[in-house]
Amino acid sequence: AHRRLGFEELLALSVALERARKQSGGARVFPMDREVPVTVARRLAITLTDAQSRAIEILQTDLATPSPMRRLLVGDVGSGKTAVALATTLAVLRQGGSVAWLCPTTLVAEQHARTLERGLAADGGPIAVLLGSTSTRAKRQAEKVIAQGLVRMVVGTHAILESGATPPGLGLVVIDEQHRFGVAQRLAMVAGRTPSPHLLVLSATPIPRTMALARYGDLDVVTLGEKPAGRQPVTTRVADANDRAFLVRTIERALAAGKDEGGSGGRVFVVVPRIDPTDDDDGPKTAIAETDAWLSEAFGKERIVTVHGRMSAEEQHEGLEAFRRGTHPILLGTTVVEVGLDVPAANLMVVLGAEHFGVAQLHQLRGCVGRAGQR
């Protein structure tokens, strides 16, 4: 009886998904462009892995058909999903289409905007960046030029879900870390548009619903099964949070790494689960202010920058840039740094109060280090 009920549910879901696909209408066709992967690799100064090259070819094949692409690009943290999505974007823009990228946080949106500027160069034209912190006046001005077709590339957070924030004749929608968005938000980017935009969603840690949609027909999966050459496995160790001496020694070694070769040294993330302290916490103190106090005592206040969700977008951006440059080589933050930040010199991630995080969060955090091939 249970098998029969399960079968009926799957049959109903399959029929509903098939009907939805047929009713979504056709999509604009973007013919295959073999020069796209070569161009992206040259502009980003990277060597594409075989998995990336295969994924780009699969996605371009989808774009060349009149049926709207519905793809989930799954790849481990640091496997190069952004480069694949950028190549797909370039293929659409080169043939007159327009593209929107939906990102989970301001920091990630700004980072992607910089990467897109390098990878698209003159092919993409001006890029509009719309964030929750963007002023009303700036949003209105952006929406005006977007509506006129003067901007074909839009990057933003939830702000681009508002009407008028995406270009007319949208050809491709890219949703980064799609598990951070609701199903309704994902559908809002493509529903009701004729022709229907192609859809590419990216995730290193897809949630169960995403995997169910992939398995039962709403999303086709393309997988990046390898990381760029030279990446070393990230060593993971559980330590006693009360052993401050061990933490300080470990951070000192990470900061010193690379200086012998004339570099600026390492970068260290220190991530805590909360901004404010709590009275009922009997364990090690893991709030921002408490952690900042002992870090400042050990390393000096001038070497530490703090980033968390209550700071303005501008303050977060300035803090991350100071960390990236190395003027403040220790970044103390909450999970605002969890998703996709690319700081090549980062070689240590310290997670305090790790029991307060989910496994997927810890996996994402670990992926922030070792991106330049260092230990």
Side-chain angles (χ1 to χ4, degrees), residues 8-345:
E8 287 187 1
E9 287 181 357
L10 285 177
L11 179 62
L13 175 64
S14 300
V15 171
L17 289 173
E18 188 64 26
R19 180 181 296 162
R21 283 201 168 198
K22 289 181 177 178
Q23 291 177 346
S24 66
R28 183 173 168 184
V29 173
F30 298 97
M32 178 81 71
D33 185 344
R34 298 286 181 186
E35 287 299 312
V36 161
V38 179
T39 303
V40 168
R42 184 182 73 250
R43 289 175 179 171
L44 297 183
I46 61 174
T47 300
L48 295 175
T49 64
D50 291 341
Q52 285 175 307
S53 298
R54 284 194 301 271
I56 292 170
E57 184 169 358
I58 289 170
L59 295 176
Q60 283 212 71
T61 301
D62 285 354
L63 293 176
T65 64
S67 298
M69 175 177 76
R70 298 289 183 263
R71 280 282 182 182
L72 166 65
L73 177 62
V74 178
D76 201 355
V77 183
S79 60
K81 297 185 295 297
T82 301
V84 173
L86 196 155
T88 313
T89 298
L90 180 60
V92 171
L93 290 173
R94 274 188 166 179
Q95 297 174 57
S98 53
V99 182
W101 277 42
L102 177 60
C103 306
T105 67
T106 293
L107 291 176
V108 172
E110 291 177 334
Q111 177 178 283
H112 281 331
R114 289 193 298 271
T115 304
L116 284 162
E117 285 177 353
R118 286 166 46 213
L120 300 177
D123 291 303
I127 298 175
V129 181
L130 294 175
L131 310 170
S133 58
T134 305
S135 68
T136 303
R137 182 179 178 183
K139 279 183 184 176
R140 286 178 184 156
Q141 183 62 30
E143 289 170 2
K144 187 181 296 183
V145 296
I146 289 170
Q148 293 171 351
L150 301 176
V151 171
R152 295 188 294 122
M153 179 73 234
V154 178
V155 182
T157 56
H158 296 74
I160 69 173
L161 293 170
E162 300 172 9
S163 61
T166 52
L170 194 59
L172 173 67
V173 172
V174 177
I175 303 180
D176 189 26
E177 302 297 342
Q178 68 85 41
H179 58 277
R180 301 283 289 266
F181 299 96
V183 175
Q185 291 171 323
R186 178 165 70 85
L187 291 176
M189 294 295 292
V190 296
R193 300 177 188 265
T194 305
S196 179
H198 297 282
L199 176 67
L200 175 62
V201 297
L202 319 179
S203 185
T205 52
I207 58 175
R209 177 170 177 81
T210 310
M211 296 310 293
L213 289 172
R215 178 143 192 192
Y216 299 121
D218 187 45
L219 292 171
D220 298 315
V221 180
V222 58
T223 304
L224 294 181
E226 59 181 308
K227 290 189 178 183
R231 292 278 177 92
Q232 298 188 46
V234 178
T235 303
T236 306
R237 176 171 177 178
V238 179
D240 182 355
N242 291 307
D243 190 354
R244 294 270 175 83
F246 170 76
L247 292 174
V248 169
R249 286 197 308 272
T250 305
I251 292 172
E252 283 176 341
R253 284 200 301 269
L255 293 174
K259 285 189 175 179
D260 295 339
E261 289 78 27
S264 59
R267 306 283 188 277
V268 177
F269 288 99
V270 179
V271 176
V272 296
R274 59 177 69 90
I275 299 175
D276 298 319
T278 57
D279 296 331
D280 57 349
D281 190 358
D282 297 328
K285 304 303 181 183
T286 54
I288 288 282
E290 298 161 336
T291 307
D292 187 39
W294 69 263
L295 282 175
S296 298
E297 183 180 344
F299 300 101
K301 183 71 176 174
E302 70 282 355
R303 302 180 75 191
I304 301 164
V305 65
T306 303
V307 175
H308 56 74
R310 286 190 199 151
M311 299 168 64
S312 69
E314 186 176 345
E315 289 172 327
Q316 290 183 32
H317 175 73
E318 289 176 357
L320 183 61
E321 285 304 305
F323 178 61
R324 190 176 272 121
R325 290 193 306 269
T327 56
H328 295 68
I330 300 174
L331 187 150
L332 170 62
T334 55
T335 50
V336 72
V337 305
E338 173 191 335
V339 181
L341 292 186
D342 189 17
V343 182

